[in-house]
Amino acid sequence: MTLMQEAPVRPDYAAMATNRLEGGDPFAVAEATPARLAEAVAGLTPEQLRRPEAPGKWSVLEVVQHLADYDLVNGYRFRMVLAHDTPPIQGYDQDLWAGRLRYRDVPLDAALAQFAALRDANLRLLRTLLPAEWERVGLHAERGPESVRRMFELMAGHDLVHLDQIARIRRATGA
């Protein structure tokens, strides 16, 4: 196992996610998110789901599918870091994914089911980790060294940021 000092992370996503988690329990947040997400989108019409809060911004449906794909990416990253010594962790352009993978066209029930299944698989893996495994590190292309613990904390904070975003989109669009 390789331990490295963790690099400071970009202030945008990482700081927002860290600040939103505010020292909370990442397991409690991550376990609650599938139900909170389903509740946050309940009762929206197909038009409301697909209406962005402003031009160039995401819709509620795009946020839901982003969360599902984010868990897909994180599941791969967790497994790479746990199985390999200091593997590279590639970044990705979330807006490119949203557009080219047609997030706005995905059925809501499929996006919610994908997210719930991936989250369950990731949490099952994380619950089995030994203390030293939480400190295993990968080398993120944009943020530098990140431990499994740090990636999980970012994931939980990321959940909260996007739940807040859905509430903001609903307010902005009158949904």
Side-chain angles (χ1 to χ4, degrees), residues 41-87:
V41 302
L44 293 177
T45 66
E47 295 77 24
Q48 290 170 324
L49 285 167
R50 288 169 175 80
R51 186 178 308 130
E53 65 181 303
K57 297 289 188 177
W58 284 358
S59 67
V60 168
L61 184 56
E62 288 167 310
V63 174
V64 174
Q65 185 59 51
H66 165 69
L67 284 166
D69 276 354
Y70 184 79
D71 253 56
L72 177 75
V73 168
N74 271 319
Y76 174 76
R77 289 173 174 174
F78 291 142
R79 286 156 179 82
M80 287 297 292
V81 173
L82 290 167
H84 301 273
D85 291 332
T86 320

mmCIF file of all heavy atoms in Angstrom, residues 41-87:
data_model
loop_
_atom_site.group_PDB
_atom_site.id
_atom_site.type_symbol
_atom_site.label_atom_id
_atom_site.label_comp_id
_atom_site.label_asym_id
_atom_site.label_seq_id
_atom_site.Cartn_x
_atom_site.Cartn_y
_atom_site.Cartn_z
ATOM 1 N N VAL A 41 -37.704 14.031 -6.460
ATOM 2 C CA VAL A 41 -38.218 14.095 -7.829
ATOM 3 C C VAL A 41 -39.666 13.608 -7.941
ATOM 4 O O VAL A 41 -40.246 13.643 -9.034
ATOM 5 C CB VAL A 41 -37.319 13.300 -8.807
ATOM 6 C CG1 VAL A 41 -35.897 13.844 -8.766
ATOM 7 C CG2 VAL A 41 -37.329 11.810 -8.511
ATOM 8 N N ALA A 42 -40.229 13.177 -6.842
ATOM 9 C CA ALA A 42 -41.588 12.635 -6.861
ATOM 10 C C ALA A 42 -42.584 13.679 -7.359
ATOM 11 O O ALA A 42 -42.514 14.855 -7.001
ATOM 12 C CB ALA A 42 -41.977 12.155 -5.468
ATOM 13 N N GLY A 43 -43.492 13.223 -8.201
ATOM 14 C CA GLY A 43 -44.580 14.067 -8.659
ATOM 15 C C GLY A 43 -44.248 15.002 -9.806
ATOM 16 O O GLY A 43 -45.126 15.737 -10.269
ATOM 17 N N LEU A 44 -43.032 14.993 -10.289
ATOM 18 C CA LEU A 44 -42.676 15.871 -11.406
ATOM 19 C C LEU A 44 -43.147 15.268 -12.729
ATOM 20 O O LEU A 44 -43.046 14.065 -12.939
ATOM 21 C CB LEU A 44 -41.165 16.096 -11.459
ATOM 22 C CG LEU A 44 -40.572 16.883 -10.300
ATOM 23 C CD1 LEU A 44 -39.050 16.964 -10.428
ATOM 24 C CD2 LEU A 44 -41.171 18.274 -10.203
ATOM 25 N N THR A 45 -43.646 16.109 -13.582
ATOM 26 C CA THR A 45 -44.062 15.665 -14.912
ATOM 27 C C THR A 45 -42.810 15.475 -15.784
ATOM 28 O O THR A 45 -41.738 16.006 -15.461
ATOM 29 C CB THR A 45 -44.967 16.715 -15.577
ATOM 30 O OG1 THR A 45 -44.189 17.900 -15.826
ATOM 31 C CG2 THR A 45 -46.180 17.051 -14.708
ATOM 32 N N PRO A 46 -42.947 14.764 -16.899
ATOM 33 C CA PRO A 46 -41.800 14.635 -17.810
ATOM 34 C C PRO A 46 -41.249 15.996 -18.249
ATOM 35 O O PRO A 46 -40.035 16.173 -18.364
ATOM 36 C CB PRO A 46 -42.363 13.846 -18.992
ATOM 37 C CG PRO A 46 -43.465 13.028 -18.386
ATOM 38 C CD PRO A 46 -44.071 13.924 -17.324
ATOM 39 N N GLU A 47 -42.112 16.960 -18.470
ATOM 40 C CA GLU A 47 -41.665 18.291 -18.871
ATOM 41 C C GLU A 47 -40.886 18.971 -17.736
ATOM 42 O O GLU A 47 -39.865 19.607 -17.974
ATOM 43 C CB GLU A 47 -42.856 19.171 -19.278
ATOM 44 C CG GLU A 47 -43.592 18.684 -20.515
ATOM 45 C CD GLU A 47 -44.523 17.488 -20.247
ATOM 46 O OE1 GLU A 47 -44.984 17.282 -19.091
ATOM 47 O OE2 GLU A 47 -44.784 16.732 -21.193
ATOM 48 N N GLN A 48 -41.389 18.854 -16.514
ATOM 49 C CA GLN A 48 -40.698 19.456 -15.369
ATOM 50 C C GLN A 48 -39.345 18.795 -15.136
ATOM 51 O O GLN A 48 -38.378 19.462 -14.770
ATOM 52 C CB GLN A 48 -41.566 19.351 -14.117
ATOM 53 C CG GLN A 48 -42.786 20.235 -14.158
ATOM 54 C CD GLN A 48 -43.757 19.943 -13.025
ATOM 55 O OE1 GLN A 48 -43.930 18.786 -12.616
ATOM 56 N NE2 GLN A 48 -44.392 20.986 -12.515
ATOM 57 N N LEU A 49 -39.272 17.487 -15.337
ATOM 58 C CA LEU A 49 -38.012 16.771 -15.153
ATOM 59 C C LEU A 49 -36.944 17.230 -16.133
ATOM 60 O O LEU A 49 -35.756 17.213 -15.817
ATOM 61 C CB LEU A 49 -38.219 15.263 -15.335
ATOM 62 C CG LEU A 49 -38.902 14.530 -14.209
ATOM 63 C CD1 LEU A 49 -39.321 13.142 -14.661
ATOM 64 C CD2 LEU A 49 -37.982 14.455 -13.000
ATOM 65 N N ARG A 50 -37.363 17.632 -17.319
ATOM 66 C CA ARG A 50 -36.427 17.955 -18.399
ATOM 67 C C ARG A 50 -36.162 19.447 -18.555
ATOM 68 O O ARG A 50 -35.355 19.851 -19.385
ATOM 69 C CB ARG A 50 -36.941 17.361 -19.709
ATOM 70 C CG ARG A 50 -36.805 15.848 -19.730
ATOM 71 C CD ARG A 50 -37.533 15.176 -20.875
ATOM 72 N NE ARG A 50 -37.250 13.744 -20.883
ATOM 73 C CZ ARG A 50 -37.843 12.861 -20.092
ATOM 74 N NH1 ARG A 50 -38.759 13.245 -19.227
ATOM 75 N NH2 ARG A 50 -37.522 11.578 -20.149
ATOM 76 N N ARG A 51 -36.822 20.285 -17.760
ATOM 77 C CA ARG A 51 -36.666 21.735 -17.886
ATOM 78 C C ARG A 51 -35.469 22.203 -17.049
ATOM 79 O O ARG A 51 -35.467 22.056 -15.832
ATOM 80 C CB ARG A 51 -37.921 22.443 -17.403
ATOM 81 C CG ARG A 51 -37.889 23.952 -17.634
ATOM 82 C CD ARG A 51 -39.174 24.643 -17.185
ATOM 83 N NE ARG A 51 -40.339 23.991 -17.759
ATOM 84 C CZ ARG A 51 -41.417 23.609 -17.044
ATOM 85 N NH1 ARG A 51 -41.489 23.826 -15.756
ATOM 86 N NH2 ARG A 51 -42.431 23.019 -17.650
ATOM 87 N N PRO A 52 -34.447 22.768 -17.696
ATOM 88 C CA PRO A 52 -33.305 23.282 -16.918
ATOM 89 C C PRO A 52 -33.696 24.550 -16.171
ATOM 90 O O PRO A 52 -34.643 25.241 -16.552
ATOM 91 C CB PRO A 52 -32.251 23.568 -17.988
ATOM 92 C CG PRO A 52 -33.019 23.792 -19.242
ATOM 93 C CD PRO A 52 -34.275 22.963 -19.133
ATOM 94 N N GLU A 53 -32.945 24.844 -15.130
ATOM 95 C CA GLU A 53 -33.257 26.045 -14.348
ATOM 96 C C GLU A 53 -32.920 27.320 -15.118
ATOM 97 O O GLU A 53 -33.474 28.373 -14.838
ATOM 98 C CB GLU A 53 -32.541 26.023 -13.003
ATOM 99 C CG GLU A 53 -31.031 26.095 -13.070
ATOM 100 C CD GLU A 53 -30.381 26.042 -11.713
ATOM 101 O OE1 GLU A 53 -30.687 26.893 -10.857
ATOM 102 O OE2 GLU A 53 -29.562 25.140 -11.495
ATOM 103 N N ALA A 54 -32.011 27.230 -16.082
ATOM 104 C CA ALA A 54 -31.614 28.368 -16.914
ATOM 105 C C ALA A 54 -30.921 27.802 -18.150
ATOM 106 O O ALA A 54 -30.461 26.657 -18.143
ATOM 107 C CB ALA A 54 -30.674 29.286 -16.136
ATOM 108 N N PRO A 55 -30.812 28.608 -19.206
ATOM 109 C CA PRO A 55 -30.101 28.129 -20.393
ATOM 110 C C PRO A 55 -28.670 27.703 -20.037
ATOM 111 O O PRO A 55 -27.978 28.376 -19.275
ATOM 112 C CB PRO A 55 -30.094 29.348 -21.322
ATOM 113 C CG PRO A 55 -31.281 30.155 -20.887
ATOM 114 C CD PRO A 55 -31.377 29.947 -19.400
ATOM 115 N N GLY A 56 -28.273 26.545 -20.569
ATOM 116 C CA GLY A 56 -26.937 26.040 -20.306
ATOM 117 C C GLY A 56 -26.783 25.315 -18.987
ATOM 118 O O GLY A 56 -25.696 24.837 -18.657
ATOM 119 N N LYS A 57 -27.855 25.213 -18.213
ATOM 120 C CA LYS A 57 -27.827 24.519 -16.924
ATOM 121 C C LYS A 57 -28.534 23.179 -17.064
ATOM 122 O O LYS A 57 -29.249 22.930 -18.016
ATOM 123 C CB LYS A 57 -28.515 25.360 -15.835
ATOM 124 C CG LYS A 57 -27.839 26.678 -15.558
ATOM 125 C CD LYS A 57 -26.537 26.458 -14.849
ATOM 126 C CE LYS A 57 -25.934 27.773 -14.385
ATOM 127 N NZ LYS A 57 -24.710 27.564 -13.641
ATOM 128 N N TRP A 58 -28.358 22.337 -16.056
ATOM 129 C CA TRP A 58 -28.960 21.010 -16.082
ATOM 130 C C TRP A 58 -30.412 21.031 -15.618
ATOM 131 O O TRP A 58 -30.831 21.880 -14.832
ATOM 132 C CB TRP A 58 -28.182 20.074 -15.173
ATOM 133 C CG TRP A 58 -26.886 19.596 -15.740
ATOM 134 C CD1 TRP A 58 -26.348 19.876 -16.965
ATOM 135 C CD2 TRP A 58 -25.957 18.728 -15.087
ATOM 136 N NE1 TRP A 58 -25.144 19.237 -17.115
ATOM 137 C CE2 TRP A 58 -24.884 18.528 -15.980
ATOM 138 C CE3 TRP A 58 -25.927 18.108 -13.855
ATOM 139 C CZ2 TRP A 58 -23.785 17.721 -15.664
ATOM 140 C CZ3 TRP A 58 -24.847 17.311 -13.539
ATOM 141 C CH2 TRP A 58 -23.793 17.119 -14.436
ATOM 142 N N SER A 59 -31.136 20.018 -16.062
ATOM 143 C CA SER A 59 -32.493 19.746 -15.588
ATOM 144 C C SER A 59 -32.402 18.780 -14.403
ATOM 145 O O SER A 59 -31.344 18.201 -14.133
ATOM 146 C CB SER A 59 -33.314 19.105 -16.714
ATOM 147 O OG SER A 59 -32.797 17.805 -17.009
ATOM 148 N N VAL A 60 -33.524 18.570 -13.746
ATOM 149 C CA VAL A 60 -33.592 17.601 -12.652
ATOM 150 C C VAL A 60 -33.181 16.221 -13.147
ATOM 151 O O VAL A 60 -32.392 15.521 -12.506
ATOM 152 C CB VAL A 60 -35.010 17.568 -12.027
ATOM 153 C CG1 VAL A 60 -35.173 16.376 -11.100
ATOM 154 C CG2 VAL A 60 -35.300 18.872 -11.282
ATOM 155 N N LEU A 61 -33.692 15.818 -14.291
ATOM 156 C CA LEU A 61 -33.373 14.494 -14.827
ATOM 157 C C LEU A 61 -31.879 14.349 -15.104
ATOM 158 O O LEU A 61 -31.288 13.298 -14.832
ATOM 159 C CB LEU A 61 -34.177 14.218 -16.090
ATOM 160 C CG LEU A 61 -34.003 12.835 -16.704
ATOM 161 C CD1 LEU A 61 -34.326 11.729 -15.692
ATOM 162 C CD2 LEU A 61 -34.880 12.705 -17.940
ATOM 163 N N GLU A 62 -31.263 15.391 -15.617
ATOM 164 C CA GLU A 62 -29.824 15.339 -15.872
ATOM 165 C C GLU A 62 -29.036 15.195 -14.572
ATOM 166 O O GLU A 62 -28.036 14.471 -14.524
ATOM 167 C CB GLU A 62 -29.374 16.577 -16.645
ATOM 168 C CG GLU A 62 -29.845 16.539 -18.088
ATOM 169 C CD GLU A 62 -29.692 17.850 -18.807
ATOM 170 O OE1 GLU A 62 -30.133 18.893 -18.255
ATOM 171 O OE2 GLU A 62 -29.146 17.850 -19.918
ATOM 172 N N VAL A 63 -29.501 15.816 -13.509
ATOM 173 C CA VAL A 63 -28.839 15.671 -12.211
ATOM 174 C C VAL A 63 -28.973 14.233 -11.715
ATOM 175 O O VAL A 63 -28.007 13.643 -11.225
ATOM 176 C CB VAL A 63 -29.407 16.659 -11.169
ATOM 177 C CG1 VAL A 63 -28.823 16.397 -9.791
ATOM 178 C CG2 VAL A 63 -29.145 18.105 -11.596
ATOM 179 N N VAL A 64 -30.151 13.646 -11.853
ATOM 180 C CA VAL A 64 -30.365 12.265 -11.407
ATOM 181 C C VAL A 64 -29.444 11.314 -12.163
ATOM 182 O O VAL A 64 -28.763 10.471 -11.558
ATOM 183 C CB VAL A 64 -31.844 11.841 -11.560
ATOM 184 C CG1 VAL A 64 -32.022 10.365 -11.231
ATOM 185 C CG2 VAL A 64 -32.735 12.702 -10.663
ATOM 186 N N GLN A 65 -29.375 11.446 -13.497
ATOM 187 C CA GLN A 65 -28.517 10.557 -14.267
ATOM 188 C C GLN A 65 -27.042 10.824 -13.971
ATOM 189 O O GLN A 65 -26.226 9.896 -13.946
ATOM 190 C CB GLN A 65 -28.790 10.685 -15.766
ATOM 191 C CG GLN A 65 -28.003 9.688 -16.602
ATOM 192 C CD GLN A 65 -28.285 8.244 -16.231
ATOM 193 O OE1 GLN A 65 -29.439 7.824 -16.166
ATOM 194 N NE2 GLN A 65 -27.238 7.467 -15.974
ATOM 195 N N HIS A 66 -26.698 12.071 -13.716
ATOM 196 C CA HIS A 66 -25.317 12.390 -13.322
ATOM 197 C C HIS A 66 -24.960 11.658 -12.026
ATOM 198 O O HIS A 66 -23.870 11.094 -11.914
ATOM 199 C CB HIS A 66 -25.147 13.903 -13.136
ATOM 200 C CG HIS A 66 -23.905 14.274 -12.407
ATOM 201 N ND1 HIS A 66 -22.633 14.114 -12.945
ATOM 202 C CD2 HIS A 66 -23.726 14.768 -11.163
ATOM 203 C CE1 HIS A 66 -21.739 14.511 -12.057
ATOM 204 N NE2 HIS A 66 -22.371 14.908 -10.964
ATOM 205 N N LEU A 67 -25.851 11.647 -11.063
ATOM 206 C CA LEU A 67 -25.576 10.941 -9.815
ATOM 207 C C LEU A 67 -25.357 9.454 -10.067
ATOM 208 O O LEU A 67 -24.457 8.846 -9.472
ATOM 209 C CB LEU A 67 -26.705 11.167 -8.805
ATOM 210 C CG LEU A 67 -26.704 12.537 -8.142
ATOM 211 C CD1 LEU A 67 -28.033 12.788 -7.435
ATOM 212 C CD2 LEU A 67 -25.546 12.673 -7.164
ATOM 213 N N ALA A 68 -26.154 8.870 -10.954
ATOM 214 C CA ALA A 68 -25.973 7.454 -11.274
ATOM 215 C C ALA A 68 -24.611 7.215 -11.918
ATOM 216 O O ALA A 68 -23.877 6.297 -11.514
ATOM 217 C CB ALA A 68 -27.103 6.973 -12.189
ATOM 218 N N ASP A 69 -24.250 8.028 -12.890
ATOM 219 C CA ASP A 69 -22.960 7.844 -13.545
ATOM 220 C C ASP A 69 -21.798 8.175 -12.617
ATOM 221 O O ASP A 69 -20.731 7.569 -12.705
ATOM 222 C CB ASP A 69 -22.881 8.667 -14.834
ATOM 223 C CG ASP A 69 -23.509 7.961 -16.024
ATOM 224 O OD1 ASP A 69 -23.906 6.779 -15.876
ATOM 225 O OD2 ASP A 69 -23.602 8.577 -17.095
ATOM 226 N N TYR A 70 -21.992 9.114 -11.716
ATOM 227 C CA TYR A 70 -20.959 9.441 -10.739
ATOM 228 C C TYR A 70 -20.683 8.229 -9.845
ATOM 229 O O TYR A 70 -19.536 7.935 -9.519
ATOM 230 C CB TYR A 70 -21.396 10.654 -9.914
ATOM 231 C CG TYR A 70 -20.379 11.152 -8.937
ATOM 232 C CD1 TYR A 70 -19.311 11.944 -9.354
ATOM 233 C CD2 TYR A 70 -20.480 10.858 -7.581
ATOM 234 C CE1 TYR A 70 -18.374 12.421 -8.446
ATOM 235 C CE2 TYR A 70 -19.554 11.329 -6.673
ATOM 236 C CZ TYR A 70 -18.502 12.109 -7.110
ATOM 237 O OH TYR A 70 -17.577 12.576 -6.209
ATOM 238 N N ASP A 71 -21.726 7.500 -9.463
ATOM 239 C CA ASP A 71 -21.513 6.288 -8.670
ATOM 240 C C ASP A 71 -20.834 5.199 -9.492
ATOM 241 O O ASP A 71 -20.034 4.435 -8.966
ATOM 242 C CB ASP A 71 -22.823 5.777 -8.066
ATOM 243 C CG ASP A 71 -22.891 6.040 -6.575
ATOM 244 O OD1 ASP A 71 -22.748 7.205 -6.169
ATOM 245 O OD2 ASP A 71 -23.056 5.076 -5.810
ATOM 246 N N LEU A 72 -21.144 5.143 -10.777
ATOM 247 C CA LEU A 72 -20.458 4.211 -11.669
ATOM 248 C C LEU A 72 -18.963 4.520 -11.701
ATOM 249 O O LEU A 72 -18.124 3.632 -11.518
ATOM 250 C CB LEU A 72 -21.054 4.312 -13.075
ATOM 251 C CG LEU A 72 -20.410 3.457 -14.156
ATOM 252 C CD1 LEU A 72 -20.824 1.998 -13.976
ATOM 253 C CD2 LEU A 72 -20.818 3.969 -15.522
ATOM 254 N N VAL A 73 -18.630 5.780 -11.893
ATOM 255 C CA VAL A 73 -17.230 6.212 -11.943
ATOM 256 C C VAL A 73 -16.552 5.965 -10.601
ATOM 257 O O VAL A 73 -15.439 5.430 -10.539
ATOM 258 C CB VAL A 73 -17.139 7.699 -12.355
ATOM 259 C CG1 VAL A 73 -15.736 8.257 -12.141
ATOM 260 C CG2 VAL A 73 -17.579 7.881 -13.801
ATOM 261 N N ASN A 74 -17.203 6.335 -9.506
ATOM 262 C CA ASN A 74 -16.593 6.145 -8.190
ATOM 263 C C ASN A 74 -16.424 4.674 -7.845
ATOM 264 O O ASN A 74 -15.434 4.294 -7.218
ATOM 265 C CB ASN A 74 -17.392 6.861 -7.102
ATOM 266 C CG ASN A 74 -16.920 8.273 -6.924
ATOM 267 O OD1 ASN A 74 -15.726 8.564 -6.941
ATOM 268 N ND2 ASN A 74 -17.860 9.181 -6.760
ATOM 269 N N GLY A 75 -17.372 3.846 -8.250
ATOM 270 C CA GLY A 75 -17.224 2.416 -8.005
ATOM 271 C C GLY A 75 -15.963 1.877 -8.660
ATOM 272 O O GLY A 75 -15.206 1.097 -8.071
ATOM 273 N N TYR A 76 -15.722 2.303 -9.886
ATOM 274 C CA TYR A 76 -14.503 1.906 -10.596
ATOM 275 C C TYR A 76 -13.270 2.458 -9.870
ATOM 276 O O TYR A 76 -12.291 1.740 -9.662
ATOM 277 C CB TYR A 76 -14.569 2.422 -12.035
ATOM 278 C CG TYR A 76 -13.299 2.195 -12.813
ATOM 279 C CD1 TYR A 76 -12.976 0.932 -13.296
ATOM 280 C CD2 TYR A 76 -12.425 3.249 -13.061
ATOM 281 C CE1 TYR A 76 -11.809 0.722 -14.016
ATOM 282 C CE2 TYR A 76 -11.255 3.048 -13.780
ATOM 283 C CZ TYR A 76 -10.949 1.790 -14.254
ATOM 284 O OH TYR A 76 -9.795 1.586 -14.958
ATOM 285 N N ARG A 77 -13.329 3.716 -9.482
ATOM 286 C CA ARG A 77 -12.182 4.330 -8.805
ATOM 287 C C ARG A 77 -11.882 3.627 -7.477
ATOM 288 O O ARG A 77 -10.722 3.354 -7.173
ATOM 289 C CB ARG A 77 -12.443 5.813 -8.563
ATOM 290 C CG ARG A 77 -12.419 6.648 -9.821
ATOM 291 C CD ARG A 77 -12.838 8.064 -9.537
ATOM 292 N NE ARG A 77 -12.682 8.906 -10.721
ATOM 293 C CZ ARG A 77 -13.090 10.160 -10.773
ATOM 294 N NH1 ARG A 77 -13.666 10.736 -9.715
ATOM 295 N NH2 ARG A 77 -12.922 10.863 -11.878
ATOM 296 N N PHE A 78 -12.898 3.364 -6.676
ATOM 297 C CA PHE A 78 -12.682 2.657 -5.404
ATOM 298 C C PHE A 78 -11.981 1.329 -5.668
ATOM 299 O O PHE A 78 -11.013 0.968 -4.998
ATOM 300 C CB PHE A 78 -14.007 2.366 -4.682
ATOM 301 C CG PHE A 78 -14.730 3.564 -4.138
ATOM 302 C CD1 PHE A 78 -16.116 3.614 -4.193
ATOM 303 C CD2 PHE A 78 -14.063 4.621 -3.547
ATOM 304 C CE1 PHE A 78 -16.817 4.697 -3.679
ATOM 305 C CE2 PHE A 78 -14.752 5.712 -3.033
ATOM 306 C CZ PHE A 78 -16.136 5.746 -3.103
ATOM 307 N N ARG A 79 -12.483 0.593 -6.628
ATOM 308 C CA ARG A 79 -11.937 -0.732 -6.910
ATOM 309 C C ARG A 79 -10.510 -0.660 -7.451
ATOM 310 O O ARG A 79 -9.678 -1.495 -7.099
ATOM 311 C CB ARG A 79 -12.879 -1.465 -7.870
ATOM 312 C CG ARG A 79 -14.154 -1.929 -7.153
ATOM 313 C CD ARG A 79 -15.325 -2.128 -8.097
ATOM 314 N NE ARG A 79 -16.504 -2.594 -7.381
ATOM 315 C CZ ARG A 79 -17.345 -1.795 -6.720
ATOM 316 N NH1 ARG A 79 -17.135 -0.488 -6.659
ATOM 317 N NH2 ARG A 79 -18.389 -2.309 -6.091
ATOM 318 N N MET A 80 -10.224 0.314 -8.279
ATOM 319 C CA MET A 80 -8.858 0.479 -8.781
ATOM 320 C C MET A 80 -7.889 0.790 -7.643
ATOM 321 O O MET A 80 -6.810 0.205 -7.557
ATOM 322 C CB MET A 80 -8.798 1.597 -9.833
ATOM 323 C CG MET A 80 -9.409 1.223 -11.168
ATOM 324 S SD MET A 80 -8.555 -0.149 -11.998
ATOM 325 C CE MET A 80 -6.984 0.624 -12.390
ATOM 326 N N VAL A 81 -8.273 1.695 -6.768
ATOM 327 C CA VAL A 81 -7.388 2.083 -5.664
ATOM 328 C C VAL A 81 -7.220 0.932 -4.680
ATOM 329 O O VAL A 81 -6.122 0.718 -4.150
ATOM 330 C CB VAL A 81 -7.900 3.363 -4.970
ATOM 331 C CG1 VAL A 81 -7.094 3.671 -3.720
ATOM 332 C CG2 VAL A 81 -7.858 4.546 -5.938
ATOM 333 N N LEU A 82 -8.252 0.176 -4.450
ATOM 334 C CA LEU A 82 -8.148 -0.944 -3.517
ATOM 335 C C LEU A 82 -7.334 -2.101 -4.090
ATOM 336 O O LEU A 82 -6.662 -2.813 -3.349
ATOM 337 C CB LEU A 82 -9.550 -1.421 -3.118
ATOM 338 C CG LEU A 82 -10.309 -0.432 -2.235
ATOM 339 C CD1 LEU A 82 -11.783 -0.818 -2.153
ATOM 340 C CD2 LEU A 82 -9.686 -0.334 -0.848
ATOM 341 N N ALA A 83 -7.368 -2.283 -5.399
ATOM 342 C CA ALA A 83 -6.695 -3.426 -6.013
ATOM 343 C C ALA A 83 -5.288 -3.123 -6.528
ATOM 344 O O ALA A 83 -4.492 -4.036 -6.686
ATOM 345 C CB ALA A 83 -7.548 -3.974 -7.153
ATOM 346 N N HIS A 84 -4.993 -1.876 -6.795
ATOM 347 C CA HIS A 84 -3.712 -1.491 -7.391
ATOM 348 C C HIS A 84 -2.995 -0.499 -6.488
ATOM 349 O O HIS A 84 -3.621 0.216 -5.713
ATOM 350 C CB HIS A 84 -3.932 -0.858 -8.770
ATOM 351 C CG HIS A 84 -4.625 -1.758 -9.730
ATOM 352 N ND1 HIS A 84 -3.960 -2.662 -10.522
ATOM 353 C CD2 HIS A 84 -5.946 -1.914 -10.020
ATOM 354 C CE1 HIS A 84 -4.824 -3.326 -11.260
ATOM 355 N NE2 HIS A 84 -6.041 -2.894 -10.971
ATOM 356 N N ASP A 85 -1.688 -0.415 -6.645
ATOM 357 C CA ASP A 85 -0.900 0.534 -5.869
ATOM 358 C C ASP A 85 -0.811 1.865 -6.601
ATOM 359 O O ASP A 85 -0.271 1.935 -7.711
ATOM 360 C CB ASP A 85 0.505 -0.014 -5.601
ATOM 361 C CG ASP A 85 0.472 -1.203 -4.644
ATOM 362 O OD1 ASP A 85 -0.458 -1.271 -3.820
ATOM 363 O OD2 ASP A 85 1.362 -2.057 -4.750
ATOM 364 N N THR A 86 -1.382 2.888 -5.987
ATOM 365 C CA THR A 86 -1.369 4.263 -6.484
ATOM 366 C C THR A 86 -1.731 4.358 -7.976
ATOM 367 O O THR A 86 -0.975 4.910 -8.779
ATOM 368 C CB THR A 86 -0.002 4.940 -6.230
ATOM 369 O OG1 THR A 86 0.473 4.570 -4.942
ATOM 370 C CG2 THR A 86 -0.133 6.453 -6.270
ATOM 371 N N PRO A 87 -2.899 3.844 -8.341
ATOM 372 C CA PRO A 87 -3.280 3.911 -9.753
ATOM 373 C C PRO A 87 -3.654 5.341 -10.156
ATOM 374 O O PRO A 87 -4.057 6.148 -9.312
ATOM 375 C CB PRO A 87 -4.516 3.011 -9.820
ATOM 376 C CG PRO A 87 -5.133 3.172 -8.468
ATOM 377 C CD PRO A 87 -3.955 3.260 -7.525
#
